[in-house]
């Protein structure tokens, strides 16, 4: 969404469209500010952002503080036995159907792909399906994104968990969920895998440090994660020419170090997974040099003038990002994330939606339905049922039929000067907070009609919900369930944000210093609201969910309860004022989400929401007062 749209002055029609009954009854004007001397402003903000910053530490396995917490180093013999069994069963099927010589050709191609993935951490395919099939995918993707896309500040997002029929449609999924891709990931991870996330994103040219645009490693250091990302030029069947997937090959051979608490439990945080300074980026190149002995840093950019690109990569280990710049063409992508079912049992789609909406076959059910431990034999059988499709695609890649190929990563490597320019973007691109400052949304001490003040808060929220959080990562990965809640907030459609905020209009008044809550008070409120979510979960309470949701009421409440606990933990260790402000915003929106899911029947939750919203507004104004009266730039 263009920034000038956010910064456009409110017109009479804008205000009329957002009028509420409360405003019609007459709400008083609001002054954008409150009495607070500059030194007190500075002190209040300092008290809310006193934590030391957490940074990544990429090390070799022997230097990990608690290696036993990392699943990538566990059960290695069992994983090897699974790989051998999978390969043996596939080759036997290929031999019976196509003969020994052809089976050997397919086997060698599969081993070549697996070796590339193990060595470099990624494999890039060009034109995995023909242009006719890809056109069908583009048309269907465009239709669904138009209906469900978030159209937010930095991208348009859709949750494909709402669309299992899209994921399972064999007429369009060959470029992003071909059984060959699933088999490669299962082979690499040494066991059955399941989908834990699936999303679509459109991205316009923009330079910004936010979310997956930062150089990072995905998920948690304690659990393995592989992803498939399909990228193409938006609206076409051509390859991506901007906003491309970029990675540092070989960096997956390192590991993010963890912390160990007094009880001996390992933990980490999301900030320990982002590489946004030159010295932290150098850690990835040091790992690369140790593996490859490269004379100079190697950075691979998945771009192609003609071919859509399907990349399989070790998302939970390799340093990578989506390289957002102000040049190039708009890009579309599909991203699917996979975990070993043994390491993270669960379901991607609630079972009641599978029978009607997912093709009724074993592999799709294992990928999207409930999937727990000890499914090795069933999973291999499900892949062998697709053995012919695997064989055909391996032979296509071997012969480069219809342009299908595994791309040479050496030809996609950035030149030395391009690496220099890329580093500048990774370290010097503006943050979302800086973009907010540039938009000049706030004039301190200005008097606004009440609804225009509410609209101003809405515009601030559009930026603040895209600033990074720093949530804790646990050794046992029990935080995984919170992702649903986080995405409910982060990827909220703009019209939905306006509607939800306007529902609180009657509670929004003149901000005052008394509205400010300190971190301990905020954590206590988050825990109180989390307990309400837990009560709904354990009592089997129904949930008010959107028509496209494919999550159970139990998991929705479980997600909200966990997110609120973790955002409460995070808010007491914020490292700067913008970090604190965005964390305050997420505590409010998580509370509002619970209020909606409970059908707005819990007065405790609603009262907490009013306090949290008043705190966010007062904190946002306090930060603007400090910046404008002191001339300080954004802190994040």
């Amino acid at each position: 969404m263009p920034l000038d749209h956010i910064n456009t002055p409110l017109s009479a029609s804008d205000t009329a469209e957002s009028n509420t009954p409360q405003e019609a009854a007459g709400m008083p004007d609001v002054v954008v500010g409150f009495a607070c001397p500059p030194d007190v402003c500075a002190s209040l903000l300092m008290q809310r952002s006193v934590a030391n910053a957490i940074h990544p530490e990429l090390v070799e396995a022997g230097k990990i503080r608690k290696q036993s917490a990392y699943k990538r180093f566990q059960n290695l013999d069992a994983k090897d036995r699974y790989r051998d069994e999978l390969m043996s069963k596939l080759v036997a099927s290929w031999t019976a159907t196509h003969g020994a010589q052809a089976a050997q050709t397919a086997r060698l191609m599969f081993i070549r792909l697996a070796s590339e993935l193990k060595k470099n951490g990624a494999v890039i395919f060009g034109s995995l399906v023909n242009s006719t099939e890809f056109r069908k995918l583009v048309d269907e993707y465009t239709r669904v994104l138009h209906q469900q896309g978030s159209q937010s500040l930095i991208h348009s997002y859709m949750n494909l968990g709402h669309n299992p029929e899209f994921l399972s449609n064999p007429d369009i999924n060959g470029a992003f969920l071909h059984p060959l891709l699933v088999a490669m990931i299962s082979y690499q991870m040494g066991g059955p895998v399941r989908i834990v996330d699936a999303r679509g994103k459109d991205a316009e040219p923009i330079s910004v440090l936010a979310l997956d645009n930062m150089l990072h490693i995905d998920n948690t250091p304690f659990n393995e994660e592989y992803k498939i990302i399909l990228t193409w030029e938006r609206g076409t069947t051509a390859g991506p020419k901007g906003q491309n997937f970029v990675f540092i090959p070989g960096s997956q051979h390192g590991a993010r170090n963890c912390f160990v608490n007094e009880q001996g439990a390992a933990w980490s945080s999301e900030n320990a997974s982002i590489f946004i300074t030159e010295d932290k980026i150098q850690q990835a190149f040091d790992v690369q040099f140790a593996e490859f002995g490269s004379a100079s840093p190697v950075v691979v950019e998945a771009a192609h003038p003609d071919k859509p690109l399907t990349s399989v990569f070790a998302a939970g280990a390799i340093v990578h990002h989506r390289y957002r710049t102000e040049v190039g063409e708009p890009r579309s992508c599909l991203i699917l994330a996979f975990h070993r079912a043994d390491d993270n049992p669960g379901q991607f789609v609630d079972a009641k939606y599978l029978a009607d909406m997912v093709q009724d076959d074993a592999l799709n059910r294992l990928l999207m339905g409930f999937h727990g431990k000890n499914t090795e034999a069933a999973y291999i059988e499900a892949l062998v049922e697709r053995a012919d499709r695997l064989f055909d695609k391996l032979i296509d890649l071997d012969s480069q039929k219809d342009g299908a190929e595994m791309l040479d990563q050496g030809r996609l490597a950035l030149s030395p000067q391009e690496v220099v320019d890329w580093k500048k973007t990774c370290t010097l691109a503006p943050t979302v907070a800086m973009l907010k400052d540039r938009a000049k949304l706030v004039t301190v001490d200005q008097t606004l009609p009440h609804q225009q003040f509410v609209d101003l808060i809405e515009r601030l929220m559009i930026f603040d919900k895209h600033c990074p959080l720093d949530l804790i990562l646990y050794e046992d990965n029990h935080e995984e369930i919170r992702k649903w809640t986080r995405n409910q907030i982060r990827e909220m459609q703009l019209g939905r944000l306006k509607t939800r905020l306007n529902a609180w209009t009657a509670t929004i008044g003149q901000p005052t210093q008394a509205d400010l809550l300190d971190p301990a008070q905020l954590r206590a409120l988050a825990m109180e609201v989390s307990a309400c979510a837990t009560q709904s979960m354990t009592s089997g309470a129904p949930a008010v969910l959107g028509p496209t949701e494919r999550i159970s009421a139990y998991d929705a409440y479980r997600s909200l309860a966990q997110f609120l606990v973790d955002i409460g933990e995070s808010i007491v260790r914020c490292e700067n004022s913008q970090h604190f402000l965005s964390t305050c915003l997420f505590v409010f929106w998580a509370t509002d989400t619970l209020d909606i899911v409970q059908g707005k029947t819990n007065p405790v939750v609603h009262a907490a929401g009013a306090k949290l919203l008043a705190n966010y507004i007062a904190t946002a104004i306090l930060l603007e007062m400090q910046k404008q009266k002191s001339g300080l730039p954004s802190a994040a």
Side-chain angles (χ1 to χ4, degrees):
M1 184 176 67
L3 297 185
D4 56 0
H5 174 77
I6 299 173
N7 199 33
T8 301
L10 294 171
S11 67
S13 61
D14 291 330
T15 305
E17 287 177 4
S18 56
N19 278 346
T20 64
Q22 291 88 353
E23 187 192 21
M27 297 290 287
D29 293 349
V30 179
V31 179
V32 185
F34 48 85
C36 190
D39 59 331
V40 177
C41 286
S43 176
L44 288 169
L45 290 170
M46 181 71 72
Q47 294 166 18
R48 287 154 173 76
S49 53
V50 296
N52 294 323
I54 293 176
H55 298 291
E57 182 188 0
L58 207 58
V59 298
E60 60 190 53
K63 295 182 178 179
I64 296 173
R65 295 185 182 94
K66 189 178 179 182
Q67 186 176 329
S68 62
Y70 290 61
K71 294 184 176 69
R72 63 191 280 191
F73 303 117
Q74 298 174 9
N75 303 315
L76 300 184
D77 290 342
K79 291 173 182 177
D80 280 341
R81 287 194 296 271
Y82 176 85
R83 294 184 187 105
D84 291 343
E85 182 73 6
L86 174 60
M87 194 77 267
S88 174
K89 291 290 181 65
L90 285 173
V91 171
S93 178
W94 295 336
T95 301
T97 306
H98 304 283
Q101 184 174 350
Q104 179 69 353
T105 300
R107 186 188 75 84
L108 290 174
M109 188 68 210
F110 187 91
I111 295 301
R112 180 184 166 198
L113 298 176
S115 298
E116 176 97 348
L117 186 53
K118 182 178 181 179
K119 176 187 174 184
N120 288 340
V123 173
I124 305 172
F125 298 103
S127 295
L128 198 58
V129 298
N130 62 48
S131 59
T132 300
E133 182 175 338
F134 197 80
R135 182 74 256 175
K136 292 179 183 177
L137 167 62
V138 171
D139 290 345
E140 183 61 11
Y141 169 88
T142 302
R143 182 188 69 80
V144 177
L145 187 73
H146 178 74
Q147 293 176 347
Q148 301 179 19
S150 62
Q151 297 295 333
S152 67
L153 173 67
I154 58 175
H155 56 238
S156 184
Y157 161 98
M158 65 173 172
N159 181 355
L160 289 173
H162 297 166
N163 300 274
E165 71 284 2
F166 178 97
L167 295 174
S168 63
N169 185 347
D171 293 333
I172 62 173
N173 71 4
F176 64 87
L177 197 55
H178 195 283
L180 172 61
L181 305 176
V182 177
M184 286 175 59
I185 293 173
S186 179
Y187 183 89
Q188 198 66 38
M189 298 185 81
V193 299
R194 69 181 189 88
I195 297 172
V196 296
D197 187 37
R199 62 185 71 175
K201 285 185 179 179
D202 273 9
E204 300 278 353
I206 187 176
S207 180
V208 62
L209 287 177
L211 304 173
D212 56 7
N213 310 319
M214 293 179 176
L215 197 63
H216 68 284
I217 301 174
D218 281 325
N219 204 250
T220 168
F222 308 119
N223 202 8
E224 289 189 277
E225 179 171 287
Y226 274 71
K227 282 184 175 176
I228 297 167
I229 179 170
L230 169 64
T231 53
W232 70 97
E233 182 182 343
R234 189 179 68 191
T236 76
T237 60
K241 304 177 184 65
Q243 327 313 310
N244 297 319
F245 171 57
V246 169
F247 61 94
I248 300 177
S251 59
Q252 82 282 359
H253 294 289
R256 289 167 283 174
N257 213 343
C258 63
F259 306 98
V260 181
N261 65 22
E262 294 178 356
Q263 292 74 40
W267 66 278
S268 187
S269 87
E270 293 171 340
N271 276 358
S273 300
I274 58 174
F275 300 76
I276 54 176
T277 61
E278 287 219 25
D279 61 321
K280 302 310 175 189
I281 295 172
Q282 186 58 45
Q283 292 181 7
F285 290 132
D286 290 344
V287 172
Q288 184 185 73
F289 180 81
E291 288 296 320
F292 300 156
S294 310
S296 58
V298 178
V299 180
V300 172
E301 180 175 12
H304 200 282
D306 305 312
K307 297 183 178 183
L309 301 181
T310 302
S311 302
V312 181
F313 64 105
I318 198 167
V319 179
H320 67 281
H321 70 147
R322 262 66 82 192
Y323 184 20
R324 300 296 297 275
T325 67
E326 295 176 346
V327 299
E329 300 300 324
R331 179 223 68 201
S332 294
C333 75
L334 292 169
I335 307 170
L336 283 74
F338 299 81
H339 291 179
R340 288 181 80 247
D342 226 33
D343 297 338
N344 181 19
Q347 62 187 20
F348 181 55
V349 178
D350 188 20
K352 68 181 180 181
Y353 299 107
L354 287 175
D356 295 333
M357 304 187 72
V358 175
Q359 296 291 323
D360 190 13
D361 64 69
L363 186 57
N364 278 336
R365 288 189 170 276
L366 288 165
L367 286 171
M368 298 186 211
F370 182 81
H371 191 169
K373 297 177 180 291
N374 303 317
T375 62
E376 288 81 1
Y379 206 83
I380 290 174
E381 182 180 349
L383 285 171
V384 170
E385 288 177 2
R386 307 287 188 93
D388 283 347
R389 288 195 66 194
L390 269 77
F391 176 87
D392 291 343
K393 190 56 61 180
L394 289 165
I395 297 303
D396 288 350
L397 289 164
D398 185 64
S399 64
Q400 297 192 10
K401 180 182 177 182
D402 293 328
E405 62 174 328
M406 180 179 74
L407 297 183
D408 180 355
Q409 293 182 21
R411 296 185 177 182
L412 299 175
L414 301 181
S415 69
Q417 183 56 52
E418 287 172 331
V419 170
V420 171
D421 295 339
W422 167 81
K423 275 188 183 180
K424 289 180 180 177
T425 298
C426 291
T427 58
L428 300 177
T431 64
V432 175
M434 291 174 181
L435 296 181
K436 181 175 69 169
D437 287 349
R438 291 177 187 177
K440 299 185 183 303
L441 301 176
V442 177
T443 301
V444 171
D445 294 334
Q446 180 184 25
T447 299
L448 292 175
H450 186 269
Q451 186 59 41
Q452 287 195 22
F453 179 74
V454 175
D455 292 341
L456 170 63
I457 298 306
E458 173 199 340
R459 293 181 178 201
L460 291 173
M461 286 179 167
I462 289 170
F463 286 94
D464 291 337
K465 76 185 182 76
H466 283 289
C467 292
L469 302 176
D470 185 30
L471 300 186
I472 191 170
L473 304 171
Y474 300 97
E475 177 179 338
D476 65 0
N477 312 129
H478 71 263
E479 75 278 2
E480 280 289 333
I481 191 64
R482 74 184 179 211
K483 289 180 178 177
W484 177 81
T485 299
R486 187 177 192 155
N487 284 338
Q488 288 288 308
I489 301 165
R490 181 88 74 189
E491 307 301 346
M492 196 189 312
Q493 291 180 329
L494 298 185
R496 179 69 174 146
L497 188 151
K498 176 184 284 291
T499 299
R500 287 174 63 173
L501 179 60
N502 278 339
W504 293 90
T505 296
T507 72
I508 297 174
Q510 175 63 48
T512 69
Q513 186 175 328
D515 294 329
L516 297 169
L517 303 175
D518 65 35
Q521 290 172 314
L522 288 162
R523 185 174 195 177
L525 266 180
M527 294 299 292
E528 180 182 14
V529 179
S530 176
C532 293
T534 300
Q535 173 62 30
S536 291
M537 177 188 74
T538 56
S539 66
V544 179
L545 299 169
T548 62
E549 290 294 346
R550 299 293 178 261
I551 190 172
S552 67
Y554 181 89
D555 279 349
Y557 285 124
R558 188 162 68 99
S559 178
L560 283 157
Q562 187 63 54
F563 182 87
L564 283 157
V565 167
D566 294 346
I567 200 76
E569 186 279 335
S570 178
I571 208 158
V572 300
R573 56 176 180 82
C574 294
E575 63 186 66
N576 61 57
S577 298
Q578 180 59 54
H579 179 194
F580 178 78
L581 177 62
S582 289
T583 307
C584 287
L585 178 62
F586 272 78
V587 181
F588 162 69
W589 278 126
T591 301
D592 179 64
T593 302
L594 178 60
D595 198 28
I596 292 169
V597 171
Q598 289 183 326
K600 296 184 178 290
T601 59
N602 191 329
V604 173
V605 173
H606 195 77
K611 291 179 184 178
L612 291 165
L613 177 56
N615 168 76
Y616 166 76
I617 293 171
T619 304
I621 299 305
L622 178 70
L623 182 55
E624 293 297 329
M625 289 164 54
Q626 174 67 0
K627 286 188 292 188
Q628 293 186 28
K629 292 182 179 181
S630 66
L632 293 174
S634 174

